[in-house]
Amino acid sequence: MLMSPLQVKDKLWEVYISNGLLGSSGGISKAKVDLIVQEDMEHPSNFSGSNRGSILFRRTTKKGPWEDAASQNDAIPLESILLFRSHHALADGASIMAALSDLCDEAEEIREQIRLELLKWKRRRDSKKGFRKILSKILRLIKLCLWFIFGTARALAYQSYLQLTTRVNPFDAVKFDAETKGLAASGRSLSWCDAAPLDEAKTICKVLSKAKGSTITINDLFVSCITAAVTRQLVEHEEFMAPVGAHKTKCVGKHMNVVVPVHMRGGVVLPGESVGNNIGAFVCRCPAEMKHDAKGGSCSVERLEKVHESLLYMKKSPAPIVSHALAKFCSNFLPSCVTKSIFESANANASVVITNTRGRESKIHINGMPVESVAGFIPLPPGVPVGVVVQSYAGSMSLSLTAERYAIPDPDKFLQWVVEEYQALRHAAANLQ
């Protein structure tokens, strides 16, 4: 289901539900499966009788000589896996997470939390009264207009610069070589994994931010790790394409372009609001192949600094708002072939698209059963061969990869490279502490 694109001419969404032995689908990592089994063995009373536990148990109605076998089967834990995908016009990642929240047992609690946050925001907004309130609104409107006008001009100029200076996609040579040798494989590469504890990632960002005098975010951290993995993948392709003289066929340069989607409402769908696609995006230039610094140390921290600067530059611009408006206009008024061509050009020959989705800090439950893992997969934009989703849920950071098979032939190895780069930054932060 996930290995090939959705045939939107036949349907706009599809869903599958399957049951099996705990850990058999790969949807829950082995570490989590072991932890669940250990908890069930230590607290068996939590999962008996009418209580709903973390796992389902196989049930049977066999009698007589099969009674002993039935009692043994009762102890075999099961899992349920839900696969859902839809056309991106129907729902973005935030909308899908909101829909999942509405299905869970904690739905009312989540709605109440959102309502309280809205009340806090309104109180802060209404704290100023009378003339000060009117003056504040006028000044904010003027600053917003100036920011949008000059920011749009700057964003369009930067986008034009990226398109003019990035004439080809680094993976185009890989695709051509694979087709020439008859090795081009159709379909998609797919993988997912748990990357790190959320608190640990926050600590790394805090330590490195303090050391470098900046404000490094978790998004910066993982974009840096993913671009390092893309670079390693391109270097491996170079060695495969020219085994006698490595780097003779140059795929990877000093920079690569990265597409970063942005939710127009900050990843929040308000109660009662319809789901939909409220995604804009921007393209930024990140470092690719790097040398070790002058002292002979690792370049991981240096890469992270450059990624942070590049992302911060684009975050301050209205590029996502402009791209969202242009995408809506093209989709509504232009032929699909023209729209696709514009989207391919707008990606500025980006090597990878990286998005992040923020989930709840605690586990949600559906009909009493906890949701152990959540993984989202991004649809690849036209012309971009690699897509990665960085997601937080229940105190854990996870990664999911969708890629053209010629670009990422071994998706598990690619995600291992991402985790290795993360560990290098973790080691650097530990040394600074």
Side-chain angles (χ1 to χ4, degrees), residues 11 14 90 100-101 114 167 236 241 295 305 320 325 412:
K11 51 193 172 184
E14 59 184 356
L90 292 181
L100 178 63
S101 298
I114 295 175
R167 306 303 298 175
E236 185 177 85
M241 292 160 65
K295 296 181 181 179
E305 285 184 88
D412 294 339

Side-chain angles (χ1 to χ4, degrees), residues 347-394:
N347 289 330
N349 285 309
S351 303
V352 59
V353 53
I354 304 172
T355 186
N356 64 76
T357 304
R358 183 173 53 195
R360 275 178 61 83
E361 295 182 0
S362 58
K363 292 180 185 178
I364 60 175
H365 298 71
I366 297 179
N367 197 25
M369 298 176 293
V371 177
E372 294 292 343
S373 294
V374 179
F377 297 88
I378 187 171
L380 294 177
V384 183
V386 183
V388 182
V389 177
V390 181
Q391 183 167 305
S392 66
Y393 171 71

Side-chain angles (χ1 to χ4, degrees), residues 117-395:
E117 287 299 320
L118 285 173
L119 283 175
K120 289 179 183 178
W121 176 78
K122 288 179 179 178
R123 285 170 186 163
R124 287 195 298 268
R125 185 192 63 180
D126 299 337
S127 59
K128 296 178 181 179
K129 298 181 180 180
F131 178 74
R132 287 184 61 193
K133 183 177 180 180
I134 296 172
L135 183 62
S136 176
K137 284 187 176 181
I138 293 173
L139 290 174
R140 187 165 62 245
L141 182 61
I142 293 172
K143 290 170 76 174
L144 185 63
C145 290
L146 292 173
W147 168 79
F148 186 79
I149 293 169
F150 291 104
T152 299
R154 188 181 68 169
L156 292 175
Y158 184 68
Q159 177 72 19
S160 301
Y161 165 75
L162 292 179
Q163 289 179 256
L164 290 172
T165 56
T166 314
R167 306 303 298 175
V168 295
N169 192 304
F171 283 102
D172 286 348
V174 179
K175 183 179 181 181
F176 177 78
D177 182 75
E179 290 174 345
T180 302
K181 295 177 180 177
L183 301 175
S186 60
R188 298 279 172 83
S189 291
L190 201 75
S191 186
W192 61 92
C193 71
D194 292 331
L198 177 59
D199 289 339
E200 180 183 87
K202 288 180 178 179
T203 301
I204 292 172
C205 292
K206 185 177 179 180
V207 171
L208 294 178
S209 295
K210 185 177 180 180
K212 301 300 177 181
S214 56
T215 309
I216 295 170
T217 66
I218 289 180
N219 192 45
D220 299 338
L221 182 72
F222 280 97
V223 169
S224 180
C225 295
I226 293 164
T227 54
V230 172
T231 302
R232 290 181 68 173
Q233 181 68 77
L234 287 168
V235 170
E236 185 177 85
H237 281 308
E238 285 180 357
E239 295 170 350
F240 177 75
M241 292 160 65
V244 177
H247 297 274
K248 185 177 179 181
T249 304
K250 196 69 176 174
C251 294
V252 58
K254 292 183 178 180
H255 304 96
M256 73 174 72
N257 293 341
V258 178
V259 178
V260 180
V262 178
H263 194 267
M264 295 291 95
R265 290 182 176 270
V268 176
V269 178
L270 300 178
E273 188 177 32
S274 176
V275 297
N277 189 340
N278 290 312
I279 295 293
F282 61 81
V283 183
C284 66
R285 174 159 287 181
C286 294
E289 193 171 34
M290 298 180 67
K291 297 179 180 179
H292 291 314
D293 56 30
K295 296 181 181 179
S298 171
C299 61
S300 298
V301 176
E302 182 185 350
R303 177 189 298 277
L304 177 58
E305 285 184 88
K306 293 183 181 296
V307 166
H308 166 70
E309 291 170 2
S310 181
L311 289 175
L312 185 63
Y313 177 81
M314 292 307 299
K315 286 175 184 177
K316 291 180 178 179
S317 78
I321 301 172
V322 176
S323 68
H324 179 68
L326 290 176
K328 272 201 166 185
F329 174 81
C330 293
S331 300
N332 292 335
F333 300 105
L334 298 181
S336 58
C337 58
V338 176
T339 300
K340 183 178 179 180
S341 177
I342 292 174
F343 283 5
E344 286 182 356
S345 176
N347 289 330
N349 285 309
S351 303
V352 59
V353 53
I354 304 172
T355 186
N356 64 76
T357 304
R358 183 173 53 195
R360 275 178 61 83
E361 295 182 0
S362 58
K363 292 180 185 178
I364 60 175
H365 298 71
I366 297 179
N367 197 25
M369 298 176 293
V371 177
E372 294 292 343
S373 294
V374 179
F377 297 88
I378 187 171
L380 294 177
V384 183
V386 183
V388 182
V389 177
V390 181
Q391 183 167 305
S392 66
Y393 171 71

